[in-house]
Amino acid sequence: MKMKWRLIGKIAVLEPIGRFDAHNAPAVAEALTEARNSSLKDAIVNLEQVNFLDSTALATLVQGMKHCRQLGGDLHLCCLQQPVRIIFELTRLDKAFDIYETEAEALHAFAG
Amino acid sequence: MPTSDSGLRVAVVTTHPPGKGSLNEYAFHFVRYLRTKPEVREVVLLADELPAGQRYHFATAEEDCELEEGCGLAPVRVETCWRFNALNNAPRILAAVRQARPDAVLFNVQFASFGSGKVSGALGLTAPALVKLAGYPTIVLLHNIMETVDLKSAGFGANPLMERVIRLSGNIVTRFVLAADLVALTIPKYVEILAGKYRAQNVLLAPHGSFEQASAAPDLDPPPGPLQIMTFGKFGTYKRIETLIEAFRILLARPGSPPLELVIAGTDSPNAAGYLAGLQAQSADLPGIRFTGYVAEEEVPRIFREAAVAVFPYTSTTGSSGVLHQAGSYGKAAVLPKIGDFAEVITEEGYTGEFFEPGNAASLAAAIARVIDDPEHRRALGRQNFIASSGLPIADVVDWYLLHFEELRRSRGGFETRPTKQRGARGGKP
């Protein structure tokens, strides 16, 4: 899995690409940790190019969200493909995360 | 009604060591990690009554710094409020919840948690509905569902008519369980079944999780000495060892067989008292067979580490296997029954093993032989199981439950319990 990450203002935006599972979840966790170490408390994980995620990936996102919230920030998700959305619904973690249709909406939510 | 100041007071209705009821091991690890969460201010264990002379023990605030989890564990208060096979467990549990006034209640149960009798088992499972009706956010972690339980193997349903009656009762009991706020299931298929058959909107998938935190790869080789073929659990209902003992005879009779030992680790199922004693007497002529009896929590690592292979002599499935997760965490190869549901579940979770036909001793002996005769293959199976067990520790699964509790409380207008920077009033970890 490839992953891009960039900074928009003080918000870290991560873009994992491909399968997001136990084998490559550490890369996402590492990027979230790096963002946290850079004193960034808000993050967006753009899942537009993720076609599969497993329970380890979900756990990585939950940990990321917890850490952001511990710093007084949050972790938003956006652009979920249908198979990925189904996994969030199956686990009901769609209720726990703030999930947005577009990255712009996810960004805008931090501004609000 | 629940009341809170800072952090959650979580009640867990469950068995727990030293209690020997089913799911005690799962509860041990769940509570162990629940205590480490900064959102949790207190755990109230609503456990079953212990035999005379036994008591539940949890580290005090002073002692907990010596534990691997470190300082700052949430305290545990134990209330014994139910008894296996009693008919009044549901009202007793409700009374205990009212007394404890938790912010959220988790039931760690399966269909026979509250009794081996049909009536006691069913009546106990009305407790989640009562607790929810009393105003407490309630999640049931249901480890099996009636639709996939082989009632005969599980100790119920002596004849087909009775089985039909029990299935019907099971449907009613399932509806009671579904009256909880949320029902968590460990297998996607179970979620599909309950969502489809009962049109349940409140079911969710929460993976079983592995008991140990991911660590360095364990030694994939057993210690010197006879190769131990080990099975672990509560036996006599759907975990039966007759075929395993027969398979052991076959293995011993092989020309040039390496020194072997069969280790039966565990006790009778609460639904099958006397089962192991009977088999121990019947197999007294067999060299190299050892019945350990109850395995205390501190002895569990040694039992697994000494094993060359872990065998799962199941005749039906009741969901994911905590024992398989444990075997994986110790890097053990597994020999598993070819039961559609079970194979599907463990494959989904990334585990592997050699498979055998349930009830077929020759098939089981051959599967064990494929493992013990080929050290490289044994190590490869153990390595894959270790990787699978490292995937999602139960510590992470506990976080999911806390998120669900938070969401339930938010939807009821309770305050949020998002993690804070500090560990709250009890202080603790840096």
Side-chain angles (χ1 to χ4, degrees):
Chain A
M1 184 188 73
K2 292 178 185 170
M3 196 188 58
K4 296 188 276 188
W5 87 278
R6 58 201 152 86
L7 209 53
I8 300 180
K10 289 187 170 182
I11 299 169
V13 181
L14 279 67
E15 284 183 81
I17 299 167
R19 283 177 68 90
F20 183 4
D21 59 19
H23 294 286
N24 38 47
V28 177
E30 211 170 285
L32 287 168
T33 303
E34 199 177 321
R36 201 165 59 247
N37 291 342
S38 308
S39 301
L40 301 171
K41 57 186 177 62
D42 293 324
I44 294 172
V45 179
N46 183 330
L47 295 168
E48 186 171 18
Q49 296 186 71
V50 170
N51 48 26
F52 171 86
L53 56 75
D54 71 0
S55 57
T56 305
L58 286 171
T60 301
L61 294 174
V62 167
Q63 287 305 319
M65 177 180 68
K66 280 189 70 173
H67 289 138
C68 286
R69 288 180 180 179
Q70 280 168 352
L71 295 171
D74 207 346
L75 183 149
H76 292 175
L77 303 177
C78 72
C79 316
L80 277 59
Q81 290 190 31
Q82 187 61 12
V84 171
R85 183 176 291 278
I86 287 170
I87 293 167
F88 275 91
E89 288 170 358
L90 186 65
T91 55
R92 281 181 83 100
L93 289 174
D94 58 327
K95 313 282 186 200
F97 283 97
D98 291 329
I99 299 176
Y100 299 89
E101 287 296 320
T102 66
E103 189 177 300
E105 287 174 46
L107 272 170
H108 184 71
F110 279 122
Chain B
M1 291 292 290
T3 172
S4 294
D5 41 54
S6 161
L8 285 173
R9 176 185 293 154
V10 181
V12 185
V13 181
T14 185
T15 54
H16 191 284
K20 296 179 177 58
S22 64
L23 304 177
N24 61 344
E25 190 82 7
Y26 192 87
F28 172 83
H29 292 282
F30 193 97
V31 170
R32 176 181 161 205
Y33 288 110
L34 188 61
R35 298 181 71 194
T36 67
K37 302 298 176 184
E39 305 94 313
V40 176
R41 125 180 102 98
E42 185 183 26
V43 177
V44 183
L45 192 73
L46 300 178
D48 56 330
E49 295 168 2
L50 293 174
Q54 291 187 14
R55 69 184 186 92
Y56 294 100
H57 174 75
F58 291 91
T60 61
E62 292 73 33
E63 293 168 334
D64 71 19
C65 287
E66 294 168 15
L67 301 178
E68 62 182 288
E69 292 88 357
C71 302
L73 296 179
V76 180
R77 179 153 51 99
V78 181
E79 302 290 342
T80 52
C81 62
W82 61 277
R83 183 164 46 83
F84 191 71
N85 276 336
L87 297 177
N88 62 344
N89 285 330
R92 284 188 68 197
I93 289 167
L94 176 61
V97 168
R98 283 191 159 130
Q99 182 81 22
R101 304 182 77 197
D103 300 296
V105 183
L106 176 73
F107 285 80
N108 173 48
V109 293
Q110 45 105 344
F111 265 89
S113 279
F114 293 107
S116 55
K118 301 165 203 58
V119 178
S120 56
L123 286 177
L125 286 172
T126 62
L130 296 180
V131 170
K132 187 214 169 177
L133 281 172
Y136 296 89
T138 304
I139 299 180
V140 177
L141 164 54
L142 188 61
H143 287 259
N144 59 8
I145 61 172
M146 198 55 113
E147 281 70 13
T148 59
V149 172
D150 179 341
L151 289 174
K152 289 190 189 76
S153 299
F156 294 97
N159 67 57
L161 181 63
M162 183 56 76
E163 188 172 335
R164 285 190 67 180
V165 171
I166 293 174
R167 290 259 178 234
L168 186 62
S169 311
N171 292 349
I172 296 167
V173 174
T174 302
R175 289 192 188 280
F176 270 111
V177 173
L178 288 169
D181 287 300
L182 294 174
V183 176
L185 302 147
T186 56
I187 300 171
K189 184 179 166 187
Y190 291 1
V191 179
E192 281 173 33
I193 290 173
L194 293 195
K197 180 174 174 181
Y198 299 93
R199 301 191 184 285
Q201 302 286 315
N202 60 336
V203 287
L204 63 96
L205 175 68
H208 185 285
S210 58
F211 290 160
E212 302 301 329
Q213 294 279 35
S215 56
D219 188 351
L220 298 170
D221 288 320
L227 291 173
Q228 292 186 12
I229 299 161
M230 190 274 289
T231 186
F232 187 98
K234 295 183 178 67
F235 300 97
T237 54
Y238 66 94
K239 295 180 185 178
R240 302 190 67 88
I241 59 167
E242 291 89 338
T243 308
L244 179 55
I245 291 172
E246 277 313 302
F248 187 58
R249 282 185 197 278
I250 294 170
L251 289 167
L252 286 179
R254 294 188 309 164
S257 168
L260 299 176
E261 187 177 20
L262 176 60
V263 179
I264 313 293
T267 59
D268 293 327
S269 158
N271 297 339
Y275 171 76
L276 287 178
L279 283 167
Q280 189 168 8
Q282 284 172 30
S283 58
D285 65 306
L286 196 57
I289 184 167
R290 176 157 57 95
F291 291 77
T292 68
Y294 177 68
V295 180
E297 192 55 45
E298 59 273 19
E299 286 295 308
V300 171
R302 184 181 57 77
I303 290 281
F304 277 93
R305 285 189 189 120
E306 289 180 356
V309 58
V311 181
F312 296 76
Y314 300 176
T315 56
S316 72
T317 67
T318 58
S320 187
S321 166
V323 182
L324 180 56
H325 286 261
Q326 278 179 297
S329 69
Y330 294 102
K332 294 299 164 186
V335 170
L336 303 151
K338 274 184 201 163
I339 301 173
D341 184 57
F342 190 63
E344 192 182 317
V345 169
I346 66 124
T347 306
E348 259 183 36
E349 293 178 324
Y351 290 93
T352 188
E354 285 292 342
F355 287 85
F356 68 96
E357 297 292 342
N360 183 334
S363 165
L364 176 52
I368 295 171
R370 286 195 292 276
V371 176
I372 61 176
D373 291 350
D374 183 348
E376 258 323 299
H377 182 49
R378 174 174 52 72
R379 290 186 200 107
L381 295 174
R383 195 175 294 113
Q384 181 165 339
N385 287 341
F386 173 71
I387 291 167
S389 79
S390 307
L392 188 65
I394 202 168
D396 283 339
V397 177
V398 169
D399 280 325
W400 295 21
Y401 282 95
L402 291 173
L403 286 172
H404 294 314
F405 278 131
E406 183 184 320
E407 183 54 35
L408 283 177
R409 285 159 49 76
R410 198 182 302 158
S411 68
R412 289 172 176 223
F415 71 88
E416 291 189 20
T417 55
R418 285 185 173 187
T420 54
K421 291 177 189 175
Q422 304 299 319
R423 285 187 60 80
R426 66 178 191 276
K429 287 176 181 171

